[in-house]
mmCIF file of all heavy atoms in Angstrom:
data_model
loop_
_atom_site.group_PDB
_atom_site.id
_atom_site.type_symbol
_atom_site.label_atom_id
_atom_site.label_comp_id
_atom_site.label_asym_id
_atom_site.label_seq_id
_atom_site.Cartn_x
_atom_site.Cartn_y
_atom_site.Cartn_z
ATOM 1 N N PRO K 369 43.036 -6.794 4.816
ATOM 2 C CA PRO K 369 43.491 -6.400 3.479
ATOM 3 C C PRO K 369 45.009 -6.507 3.322
ATOM 4 O O PRO K 369 45.495 -6.894 2.260
ATOM 5 C CB PRO K 369 43.035 -4.947 3.351
ATOM 6 C CG PRO K 369 41.901 -4.824 4.286
ATOM 7 C CD PRO K 369 42.225 -5.751 5.423
ATOM 8 N N LEU K 370 45.758 -6.190 4.369
ATOM 9 C CA LEU K 370 47.222 -6.300 4.301
ATOM 10 C C LEU K 370 47.643 -7.745 4.048
ATOM 11 O O LEU K 370 48.485 -8.011 3.181
ATOM 12 C CB LEU K 370 47.853 -5.791 5.598
ATOM 13 C CG LEU K 370 47.699 -4.306 5.892
ATOM 14 C CD1 LEU K 370 48.228 -3.972 7.280
ATOM 15 C CD2 LEU K 370 48.391 -3.471 4.833
ATOM 16 N N ALA K 371 47.071 -8.681 4.782
ATOM 17 C CA ALA K 371 47.410 -10.098 4.612
ATOM 18 C C ALA K 371 47.011 -10.584 3.215
ATOM 19 O O ALA K 371 47.772 -11.309 2.564
ATOM 20 C CB ALA K 371 46.727 -10.940 5.683
ATOM 21 N N ILE K 372 45.839 -10.183 2.761
ATOM 22 C CA ILE K 372 45.363 -10.597 1.436
ATOM 23 C C ILE K 372 46.279 -10.068 0.341
ATOM 24 O O ILE K 372 46.714 -10.813 -0.532
ATOM 25 C CB ILE K 372 43.912 -10.116 1.205
ATOM 26 C CG1 ILE K 372 42.955 -10.905 2.106
ATOM 27 C CG2 ILE K 372 43.517 -10.237 -0.264
ATOM 28 C CD1 ILE K 372 41.563 -10.309 2.191
ATOM 29 N N ARG K 373 46.582 -8.793 0.389
ATOM 30 C CA ARG K 373 47.419 -8.200 -0.656
ATOM 31 C C ARG K 373 48.835 -8.767 -0.635
ATOM 32 O O ARG K 373 49.456 -8.914 -1.689
ATOM 33 C CB ARG K 373 47.418 -6.687 -0.510
ATOM 34 C CG ARG K 373 46.090 -6.086 -0.925
ATOM 35 C CD ARG K 373 46.005 -4.616 -0.622
ATOM 36 N NE ARG K 373 44.789 -4.028 -1.202
ATOM 37 C CZ ARG K 373 44.220 -2.947 -0.732
ATOM 38 N NH1 ARG K 373 44.719 -2.298 0.314
ATOM 39 N NH2 ARG K 373 43.128 -2.471 -1.309
ATOM 40 N N GLU K 374 49.339 -9.087 0.547
ATOM 41 C CA GLU K 374 50.670 -9.678 0.645
ATOM 42 C C GLU K 374 50.694 -11.085 0.063
ATOM 43 O O GLU K 374 51.613 -11.452 -0.667
ATOM 44 C CB GLU K 374 51.110 -9.720 2.107
ATOM 45 C CG GLU K 374 52.508 -10.276 2.306
ATOM 46 C CD GLU K 374 52.901 -10.274 3.768
ATOM 47 O OE1 GLU K 374 53.079 -9.177 4.336
ATOM 48 O OE2 GLU K 374 52.993 -11.378 4.344
ATOM 49 N N ALA K 375 49.686 -11.878 0.352
ATOM 50 C CA ALA K 375 49.656 -13.276 -0.099
ATOM 51 C C ALA K 375 49.166 -13.434 -1.531
ATOM 52 O O ALA K 375 49.730 -14.204 -2.301
ATOM 53 C CB ALA K 375 48.777 -14.102 0.837
ATOM 54 N N ILE K 376 48.111 -12.725 -1.882
ATOM 55 C CA ILE K 376 47.453 -12.933 -3.166
ATOM 56 C C ILE K 376 47.936 -11.935 -4.224
ATOM 57 O O ILE K 376 47.818 -12.170 -5.409
ATOM 58 C CB ILE K 376 45.912 -12.872 -2.999
ATOM 59 C CG1 ILE K 376 45.477 -13.911 -1.961
ATOM 60 C CG2 ILE K 376 45.193 -13.120 -4.308
ATOM 61 C CD1 ILE K 376 44.040 -13.788 -1.538
ATOM 62 N N ARG K 377 48.447 -10.818 -3.751
ATOM 63 C CA ARG K 377 49.001 -9.772 -4.627
ATOM 64 C C ARG K 377 47.958 -9.023 -5.442
ATOM 65 O O ARG K 377 48.272 -8.423 -6.466
ATOM 66 C CB ARG K 377 50.063 -10.342 -5.564
ATOM 67 C CG ARG K 377 51.180 -11.060 -4.893
ATOM 68 C CD ARG K 377 52.315 -10.120 -4.648
ATOM 69 N NE ARG K 377 53.438 -10.828 -4.074
ATOM 70 C CZ ARG K 377 54.052 -10.412 -2.985
ATOM 71 N NH1 ARG K 377 53.673 -9.321 -2.401
ATOM 72 N NH2 ARG K 377 55.063 -11.106 -2.513
ATOM 73 N N LYS K 378 46.691 -9.105 -5.016
ATOM 74 C CA LYS K 378 45.631 -8.338 -5.670
ATOM 75 C C LYS K 378 44.433 -8.286 -4.735
ATOM 76 O O LYS K 378 44.363 -9.015 -3.749
ATOM 77 C CB LYS K 378 45.228 -8.954 -7.008
ATOM 78 C CG LYS K 378 44.600 -10.332 -6.884
ATOM 79 C CD LYS K 378 44.161 -10.858 -8.231
ATOM 80 C CE LYS K 378 43.413 -12.166 -8.059
ATOM 81 N NZ LYS K 378 42.752 -12.591 -9.267
ATOM 82 N N ASP K 379 43.508 -7.409 -5.050
ATOM 83 C CA ASP K 379 42.271 -7.353 -4.278
ATOM 84 C C ASP K 379 41.355 -8.490 -4.727
ATOM 85 O O ASP K 379 41.351 -8.863 -5.903
ATOM 86 C CB ASP K 379 41.574 -6.007 -4.475
ATOM 87 C CG ASP K 379 42.323 -4.859 -3.804
ATOM 88 O OD1 ASP K 379 43.192 -5.125 -2.942
ATOM 89 O OD2 ASP K 379 42.037 -3.700 -4.133
ATOM 90 N N PRO K 380 40.582 -9.033 -3.804
ATOM 91 C CA PRO K 380 39.719 -10.167 -4.172
ATOM 92 C C PRO K 380 38.528 -9.747 -5.033
ATOM 93 O O PRO K 380 38.033 -8.625 -4.924
ATOM 94 C CB PRO K 380 39.239 -10.689 -2.821
ATOM 95 C CG PRO K 380 39.385 -9.554 -1.878
ATOM 96 C CD PRO K 380 40.500 -8.694 -2.393
ATOM 97 N N ASP K 381 38.106 -10.669 -5.876
ATOM 98 C CA ASP K 381 36.890 -10.433 -6.652
ATOM 99 C C ASP K 381 35.674 -10.440 -5.741
ATOM 100 O O ASP K 381 34.759 -9.649 -5.929
ATOM 101 C CB ASP K 381 36.727 -11.505 -7.737
ATOM 102 C CG ASP K 381 37.768 -11.367 -8.828
ATOM 103 O OD1 ASP K 381 38.138 -10.235 -9.175
ATOM 104 O OD2 ASP K 381 38.220 -12.410 -9.333
ATOM 105 N N ALA K 382 35.664 -11.352 -4.758
ATOM 106 C CA ALA K 382 34.550 -11.446 -3.814
ATOM 107 C C ALA K 382 35.112 -11.726 -2.425
ATOM 108 O O ALA K 382 36.152 -12.366 -2.286
ATOM 109 C CB ALA K 382 33.592 -12.559 -4.215
ATOM 110 N N ALA K 383 34.410 -11.213 -1.430
ATOM 111 C CA ALA K 383 34.781 -11.487 -0.039
ATOM 112 C C ALA K 383 33.503 -11.659 0.766
ATOM 113 O O ALA K 383 32.470 -11.049 0.461
ATOM 114 C CB ALA K 383 35.626 -10.351 0.538
ATOM 115 N N PHE K 384 33.595 -12.486 1.794
ATOM 116 C CA PHE K 384 32.446 -12.797 2.631
ATOM 117 C C PHE K 384 32.862 -12.644 4.078
ATOM 118 O O PHE K 384 33.925 -13.119 4.474
ATOM 119 C CB PHE K 384 31.972 -14.230 2.357
ATOM 120 C CG PHE K 384 31.721 -14.482 0.898
ATOM 121 C CD1 PHE K 384 32.745 -14.947 0.076
ATOM 122 C CD2 PHE K 384 30.484 -14.221 0.347
ATOM 123 C CE1 PHE K 384 32.522 -15.160 -1.274
ATOM 124 C CE2 PHE K 384 30.257 -14.433 -1.002
ATOM 125 C CZ PHE K 384 31.277 -14.897 -1.814
ATOM 126 N N GLY K 385 32.035 -11.985 4.872
ATOM 127 C CA GLY K 385 32.359 -11.789 6.272
ATOM 128 C C GLY K 385 31.111 -11.729 7.115
ATOM 129 O O GLY K 385 29.999 -11.576 6.600
ATOM 130 N N ASN K 386 31.312 -11.819 8.447
ATOM 131 C CA ASN K 386 30.146 -11.798 9.331
ATOM 132 C C ASN K 386 30.269 -10.818 10.497
ATOM 133 O O ASN K 386 29.366 -10.727 11.304
ATOM 134 C CB ASN K 386 29.858 -13.208 9.869
ATOM 135 C CG ASN K 386 30.894 -13.683 10.860
ATOM 136 O OD1 ASN K 386 32.055 -13.287 10.791
ATOM 137 N ND2 ASN K 386 30.493 -14.530 11.766
ATOM 138 N N SER K 387 31.379 -10.078 10.581
ATOM 139 C CA SER K 387 31.509 -9.122 11.687
ATOM 140 C C SER K 387 32.174 -7.838 11.218
ATOM 141 O O SER K 387 32.734 -7.774 10.120
ATOM 142 C CB SER K 387 32.317 -9.736 12.840
ATOM 143 O OG SER K 387 33.701 -9.685 12.558
ATOM 144 N N ARG K 388 32.141 -6.849 12.072
ATOM 145 C CA ARG K 388 32.746 -5.559 11.711
ATOM 146 C C ARG K 388 34.243 -5.690 11.478
ATOM 147 O O ARG K 388 34.845 -4.881 10.789
ATOM 148 C CB ARG K 388 32.455 -4.506 12.765
ATOM 149 C CG ARG K 388 33.132 -4.738 14.082
ATOM 150 C CD ARG K 388 32.702 -3.664 15.089
ATOM 151 N NE ARG K 388 33.256 -3.901 16.386
ATOM 152 C CZ ARG K 388 34.288 -3.218 16.884
ATOM 153 N NH1 ARG K 388 34.831 -2.250 16.185
ATOM 154 N NH2 ARG K 388 34.743 -3.495 18.074
ATOM 155 N N TRP K 389 34.866 -6.740 12.020
ATOM 156 C CA TRP K 389 36.296 -6.964 11.820
ATOM 157 C C TRP K 389 36.590 -7.415 10.392
ATOM 158 O O TRP K 389 37.745 -7.484 9.985
ATOM 159 C CB TRP K 389 36.825 -7.964 12.840
ATOM 160 C CG TRP K 389 36.593 -7.455 14.227
ATOM 161 C CD1 TRP K 389 35.702 -7.936 15.135
ATOM 162 C CD2 TRP K 389 37.205 -6.312 14.833
ATOM 163 N NE1 TRP K 389 35.728 -7.161 16.278
ATOM 164 C CE2 TRP K 389 36.647 -6.159 16.123
ATOM 165 C CE3 TRP K 389 38.173 -5.398 14.419
ATOM 166 C CZ2 TRP K 389 37.023 -5.150 16.995
ATOM 167 C CZ3 TRP K 389 38.547 -4.389 15.295
ATOM 168 C CH2 TRP K 389 37.985 -4.276 16.549
ATOM 169 N N ASP K 390 35.543 -7.684 9.620
ATOM 170 C CA ASP K 390 35.679 -8.048 8.210
ATOM 171 C C ASP K 390 35.437 -6.853 7.285
ATOM 172 O O ASP K 390 35.635 -6.968 6.078
ATOM 173 C CB ASP K 390 34.684 -9.157 7.857
ATOM 174 C CG ASP K 390 34.952 -10.437 8.611
ATOM 175 O OD1 ASP K 390 36.135 -10.785 8.805
ATOM 176 O OD2 ASP K 390 33.977 -11.093 9.020
ATOM 177 N N ALA K 391 35.017 -5.738 7.826
ATOM 178 C CA ALA K 391 34.616 -4.590 7.002
ATOM 179 C C ALA K 391 35.733 -4.099 6.090
ATOM 180 O O ALA K 391 35.486 -3.796 4.916
ATOM 181 C CB ALA K 391 34.114 -3.454 7.895
ATOM 182 N N ASP K 392 36.968 -4.014 6.573
ATOM 183 C CA ASP K 392 38.075 -3.549 5.735
ATOM 184 C C ASP K 392 38.339 -4.515 4.583
ATOM 185 O O ASP K 392 38.647 -4.097 3.471
ATOM 186 C CB ASP K 392 39.342 -3.355 6.565
ATOM 187 C CG ASP K 392 39.251 -2.170 7.514
ATOM 188 O OD1 ASP K 392 38.696 -1.131 7.111
ATOM 189 O OD2 ASP K 392 39.727 -2.295 8.654
ATOM 190 N N MET K 393 38.217 -5.814 4.857
ATOM 191 C CA MET K 393 38.384 -6.815 3.809
ATOM 192 C C MET K 393 37.256 -6.688 2.779
ATOM 193 O O MET K 393 37.492 -6.727 1.571
ATOM 194 C CB MET K 393 38.393 -8.217 4.422
ATOM 195 C CG MET K 393 38.405 -9.345 3.416
ATOM 196 S SD MET K 393 38.317 -10.979 4.175
ATOM 197 C CE MET K 393 36.683 -10.963 4.906
ATOM 198 N N LEU K 394 36.041 -6.539 3.248
ATOM 199 C CA LEU K 394 34.906 -6.403 2.344
ATOM 200 C C LEU K 394 35.041 -5.144 1.482
ATOM 201 O O LEU K 394 34.677 -5.151 0.307
ATOM 202 C CB LEU K 394 33.604 -6.373 3.136
ATOM 203 C CG LEU K 394 33.250 -7.662 3.879
ATOM 204 C CD1 LEU K 394 32.050 -7.436 4.795
ATOM 205 C CD2 LEU K 394 33.005 -8.809 2.930
ATOM 206 N N ALA K 395 35.601 -4.091 2.064
ATOM 207 C CA ALA K 395 35.721 -2.819 1.352
ATOM 208 C C ALA K 395 36.666 -2.891 0.156
ATOM 209 O O ALA K 395 36.515 -2.122 -0.796
ATOM 210 C CB ALA K 395 36.177 -1.730 2.315
ATOM 211 N N ILE K 396 37.631 -3.811 0.157
ATOM 212 C CA ILE K 396 38.563 -3.904 -0.971
ATOM 213 C C ILE K 396 38.090 -4.895 -2.038
ATOM 214 O O ILE K 396 38.718 -5.044 -3.075
ATOM 215 C CB ILE K 396 39.994 -4.271 -0.517
ATOM 216 C CG1 ILE K 396 40.063 -5.691 0.039
ATOM 217 C CG2 ILE K 396 40.536 -3.239 0.458
ATOM 218 C CD1 ILE K 396 41.473 -6.241 0.201
ATOM 219 N N SER K 397 36.977 -5.560 -1.779
ATOM 220 C CA SER K 397 36.463 -6.569 -2.690
ATOM 221 C C SER K 397 35.527 -5.956 -3.733
ATOM 222 O O SER K 397 34.764 -5.048 -3.437
ATOM 223 C CB SER K 397 35.711 -7.621 -1.884
ATOM 224 O OG SER K 397 35.003 -8.483 -2.737
ATOM 225 N N ARG K 398 35.566 -6.509 -4.936
ATOM 226 C CA ARG K 398 34.626 -6.056 -5.967
ATOM 227 C C ARG K 398 33.197 -6.451 -5.634
ATOM 228 O O ARG K 398 32.252 -5.764 -5.997
ATOM 229 C CB ARG K 398 35.015 -6.643 -7.333
ATOM 230 C CG ARG K 398 36.237 -5.967 -7.909
ATOM 231 C CD ARG K 398 36.630 -6.436 -9.302
ATOM 232 N NE ARG K 398 35.535 -6.954 -10.092
ATOM 233 C CZ ARG K 398 35.679 -7.906 -10.998
ATOM 234 N NH1 ARG K 398 36.851 -8.465 -11.222
ATOM 235 N NH2 ARG K 398 34.645 -8.330 -11.700
ATOM 236 N N HIS K 399 33.031 -7.591 -4.964
ATOM 237 C CA HIS K 399 31.714 -8.099 -4.613
ATOM 238 C C HIS K 399 31.698 -8.490 -3.129
ATOM 239 O O HIS K 399 31.850 -9.668 -2.797
ATOM 240 C CB HIS K 399 31.340 -9.304 -5.483
ATOM 241 C CG HIS K 399 31.356 -9.013 -6.941
ATOM 242 N ND1 HIS K 399 30.368 -8.306 -7.569
ATOM 243 C CD2 HIS K 399 32.281 -9.308 -7.897
ATOM 244 C CE1 HIS K 399 30.658 -8.189 -8.851
ATOM 245 N NE2 HIS K 399 31.815 -8.781 -9.073
#
């Protein structure tokens, strides 16, 4: 989430992941 917010400057509309290391990223996504 830190890298995403720094680069994109907003939370993503959708995020896709396959491991627990993606959970924080998925948690900030609308979908």
